[in-house]
C-alpha cells in the first residue's frame, strides 16, 4: 500500500466525493471493493483512519453538537429578551476587579521535602567490576530488566569497548493499537477511528518502516571500564521470573593487566625437528 497505489486513490476518491458516511465502519468499506481486500485488514484500517482524520469526518458530529449547544445557550424568548439584554450589558460594562497581589512571596519547600524530591532514581540497569578469582583479570557484569513481552534480544559492544548496547523488538501491545485499546474497543466506549487512536498510529509511523513492522528498541549501557569486543569472551544469560520480569545478564572480559600475566604466558618453547 503506497500513496500512488490504486487502493489509496480509490479510498481518497470515496472520501472526497462524500460516498463514505462518518458512521461507516472500516470493515464495511473494506468488504465493498476487491482492491482493498488485496491487503490485510490491519493495513487497510490504518490507512482508512489516516485518510478519515485528514478529511476531518470524525470531527463533524462533534462540531455540529457544539454549534447546537452554543445556539441554545444564547437563544432567548421574546419575554426574556429585555431582561437578558440588561444582564448582558451589565456584565459587559462592569470593569473586572484587579487581581489581588499576594501579601507574601510563595513559601519555599522545607529541607525535608527537598530531600524527598531529590532521592536517587535510576533505570533498572546495574554494572559492576569484579576480579576473576582464577585469572585475576577484571570482569564487568551487567544486569538489566527488559520490557515484558519484548523479543529478538541481541547484545553488542561499541568499537571503543566503553559502551554496550542491548537491542530488542517492542512488545506487540506497544505497536498494535487494537491490543493497546482493547479494553475500550471491546466495550465499544470508543471506535477504532477515535482521535487518540489515530494520533498513536501516526506517531508509530516515526519509529517503524511499515504498518506491519515491529519497532526496535535499544538500551545504551555506559561501562565502568573498557572491555574486549571478542564475543567469545562474553558470558550471556537471560531468564524470566514468575512475576513477568525479563532479566538479562552478561559478563565481559576486561583487557588483561600486566600484573596478571604469568611467566608461562610469556615464554615461547621451540620444538626440535
Amino acid at each position: 500500500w503506497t500513496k500512488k497505489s490504486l487502493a489509496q486513490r480509490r479510498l481518497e476518491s470515496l472520501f472526497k466525493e462524500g460516498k463514505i458516511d462518518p458512521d461507516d465502519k472500516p470493515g464495511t468499506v473494506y468488504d465493498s471493493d476487491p482492491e482493498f481486500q488485496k491487503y490485510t485488514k490491519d493495513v487497510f484500517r490504518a490507512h482508512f483512519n489516516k485518510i478519515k482524520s485528514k478529511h476531518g469526518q470524525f470531527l463533524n458530529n462533534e462540531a455540529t453538537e457544539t454549534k447546537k449547544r452554543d445556539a441554545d445557550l444564547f437563544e432567548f424568548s421574546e419575554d426574556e429578551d429585555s431582561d437578558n439584554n440588561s444582564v448582558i450589558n451589565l456584565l459587559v460594562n462592569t470593569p473586572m476587579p484587579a487581581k489581588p497581589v499576594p501579601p507574601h512571596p510563595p513559601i519555599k519547600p522545607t529541607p525535608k521535602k527537598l530531600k524527598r524530591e531529590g532521592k536517587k532514581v535510576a533505570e533498572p540497569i546495574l554494572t559492576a567490576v569484579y576480579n576473576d578469582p582464577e585469572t585475576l583479570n577484571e570482569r564487568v557484569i551487567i544486569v538489566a530488566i527488559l520490557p515484558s513481552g519484548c523479543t529478538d534480544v541481541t547484545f553488542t559492544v561499541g568499537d571503543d569497548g566503553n559502551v554496550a548496547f542491548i537491542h530488542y523488538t517492542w512488545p506487540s501491545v506497544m505497536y498494535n493499537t487494537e491490543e493497546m485499546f482493547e479494553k475500550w474497543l471491546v466495550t465499544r466506549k470508543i471506535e477504532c477511528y477515535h482521535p487518540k487512536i489515530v494520533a498513536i498510529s501516526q506517531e508509530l509511523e516515526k519509529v517503524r518502516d511499515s504498518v506491519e513492522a515491529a519497532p526496535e528498541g535499544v538500551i545504551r549501557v555506559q561501562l565502568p571500564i573498557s572491555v574486549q569486543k571478542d564475543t567469545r569472551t562474553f558470558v550471556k544469560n537471560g531468564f524470566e521470573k514468575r512475576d513477568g520480569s525479563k532479566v538479562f545478564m552478561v559478563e565481559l572480559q576486561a583487557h588483561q593487566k600486566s600484573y596478571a600475566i604469568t611467566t608461562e604466558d610469556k615464554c615461547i618453547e621451540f620444538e626440535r625437528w
Side-chain angles (χ1 to χ4, degrees):
W1 189 297
T2 64
K3 292 182 178 179
K4 297 182 179 180
S5 64
L6 179 58
Q8 173 76 13
R9 287 184 276 116
R10 283 189 181 179
L11 190 57
E12 285 272 9
S13 177
L14 289 174
F15 275 105
K16 289 179 180 178
E17 296 173 5
K19 294 182 179 180
I20 296 180
D21 190 86
D23 296 327
D24 285 344
K25 300 293 187 292
T28 305
V29 181
Y30 178 82
D31 295 334
S32 67
D33 193 327
E35 186 65 28
F36 300 149
Q37 297 168 20
K38 293 179 181 180
Y39 305 90
T40 64
K41 289 186 177 181
D42 287 338
V43 172
F44 176 79
R45 185 183 295 106
H47 289 282
F48 180 92
N49 292 335
K50 184 175 181 181
I51 297 173
K52 189 166 188 175
S53 174
K54 175 182 175 182
H55 289 270
Q57 277 203 12
F58 62 83
L59 298 177
N60 290 343
N61 292 338
E62 296 180 10
T64 302
E65 290 297 325
T66 301
K67 291 179 180 178
K68 185 177 179 181
R69 287 196 301 268
D70 291 345
D72 292 341
L73 181 63
F74 293 102
E75 185 176 348
F76 303 110
S77 65
E78 293 181 0
D79 296 336
E80 296 175 329
D81 190 55
S82 58
D83 293 338
N84 287 324
N85 284 338
S86 300
V87 174
I88 293 174
N89 289 332
L90 178 62
L91 291 173
V92 171
N93 296 324
T94 303
M96 294 295 292
K99 186 177 180 180
V101 179
H104 301 287
I107 300 175
K108 294 182 179 180
T110 61
K112 187 175 182 181
K113 185 176 181 181
L114 287 174
K115 186 176 181 180
R116 287 200 304 270
E117 292 177 349
K119 65 181 180 181
K120 295 181 179 179
V121 294
E123 294 180 313
I125 303 171
L126 298 173
T127 59
V129 179
Y130 72 96
N131 290 319
D132 188 302
E134 296 182 1
T135 64
L136 301 180
N137 286 324
E138 288 183 324
R139 294 182 68 83
V140 175
I141 181 171
I142 302 172
V143 182
I145 297 292
L146 303 180
S148 178
C150 71
T151 57
D152 303 325
V153 180
T154 59
F155 177 83
T156 57
V157 173
D159 292 338
D160 59 0
N162 293 317
V163 181
F165 302 93
I166 305 172
H167 296 264
Y168 60 89
T169 299
W170 284 19
S172 62
V173 71
M174 275 301 296
Y175 60 88
N176 186 321
T177 54
E178 289 186 355
E179 288 187 41
M180 190 182 300
F181 295 96
E182 181 180 11
K183 174 182 176 181
W184 298 274
L185 291 172
V186 169
T187 57
R188 302 192 68 82
K189 291 184 177 179
I190 61 174
E191 297 293 341
C192 60
Y193 50 81
H194 190 281
K196 62 184 174 185
I197 298 182
V198 174
I200 288 293
S201 299
Q202 292 173 344
E203 196 65 22
L204 283 168
E205 294 181 12
K206 302 176 183 178
V207 295
R208 58 178 177 177
D209 297 327
S210 71
V211 71
E212 295 179 330
E216 295 183 5
V218 60
I219 300 174
R220 184 182 186 276
V221 184
Q222 184 66 46
L223 302 176
I225 60 174
S226 180
V227 299
Q228 298 181 29
K229 290 182 56 183
D230 188 351
T231 56
R232 292 172 295 181
T233 64
F234 297 177
V235 179
K236 296 176 289 184
N237 290 285
F239 49 90
E240 294 187 35
K241 304 293 289 183
R242 291 182 179 178
D243 62 358
S245 302
K246 206 161 192 173
V247 183
F248 175 82
M249 185 182 297
V250 62
E251 298 177 46
L252 308 172
Q253 176 70 53
H255 294 285
Q256 194 173 23
K257 290 184 176 180
S258 58
Y259 180 78
I261 300 176
T262 63
T263 302
E264 183 180 354
D265 295 330
K266 295 185 290 184
C267 289
I268 300 176
E269 293 185 2
F270 294 87
E271 296 182 7
R272 185 180 296 275
W273 289 87

